[in-house]
Amino acid sequence: MTTDNQDLSAVKSSYSPADDGPLRVSKSSLMTYMMCPRQFYWKYVAGIPSPPPSEAALRGGIIHEVMEFGLLEGPDSAIIKAKELEVEADPAVDAMTLMLHQIAHDMGPFEVIEAEVKHVIDEDYEGGDIQWVGLIDGLLKFESGEVVMVELKTGKMNAGKLGRTRKELVYYARLLRNLGYDEVTHFLYITPDYEMPIDKDDKLLLEGNKRGKTM
């Protein structure tokens, strides 16, 4: 097992089964393969250089850093980090800070088990050497004993994206189970860019009416 306090660059890995060494599987690579094996090949196996990250991806990384600071140091500290990163005017910062306060108010105090920790775990899976890779936004434990996995999604959010995100978190839950963590009981989605449409019903809001879910 490898965690983020070790040199991940020294870990031998490959996304191509034809290469030497273990097959490396991340949340992104697995989801890409499930969606389109051809796209997986061109992105992970063919060796074609990746394009530079988009503005949206760069912004998402910064907002994730702000949330990590808010989880570890408290919601009010997220504003300090946002100012340091020069994104205090981003509407997502205020929305996310408000939601972190709301979660603590509605669900009670919680312990942060970890935030933005990268894991690599080796497994002999069906006769093959696999390295499962995961970078989880946050893992919380409430006084009730519930273990909650946090996922921050910037940009547009809808019911379809929620379904895809649920599959991603199932991947992370399996990874944590193999690491010996307490069983994850709930998923928590934080979507600071979400805007409720005015002129039509939103299927995403109907998720809050389902059993076992809180919006």
Side-chain angles (χ1 to χ4, degrees), residues 87-120:
V87 292
E88 68 271 21
D90 192 311
V93 173
D94 283 340
M96 184 170 57
T97 304
L98 178 62
M99 282 189 280
L100 290 176
H101 277 295
Q102 188 79 33
I103 291 163
H105 178 270
D106 291 350
M107 308 293 290
F110 54 81
E111 168 197 357
V112 180
I113 299 173
E114 63 180 45
E116 293 285 341
V117 174
K118 187 169 186 176
H119 298 286
V120 179

Side-chain angles (χ1 to χ4, degrees), residues 58-70 77-90 93 96:
L58 292 172
R59 171 186 176 262
I62 294 174
I63 300 300
H64 272 77
E65 189 173 348
V66 172
M67 187 188 74
E68 175 189 357
F69 202 79
S77 299
I79 301 297
I80 299 173
K81 191 65 174 180
K83 290 180 179 178
E84 177 187 323
L85 298 174
E86 300 181 347
V87 292
E88 68 271 21
D90 192 311
V93 173
M96 184 170 57

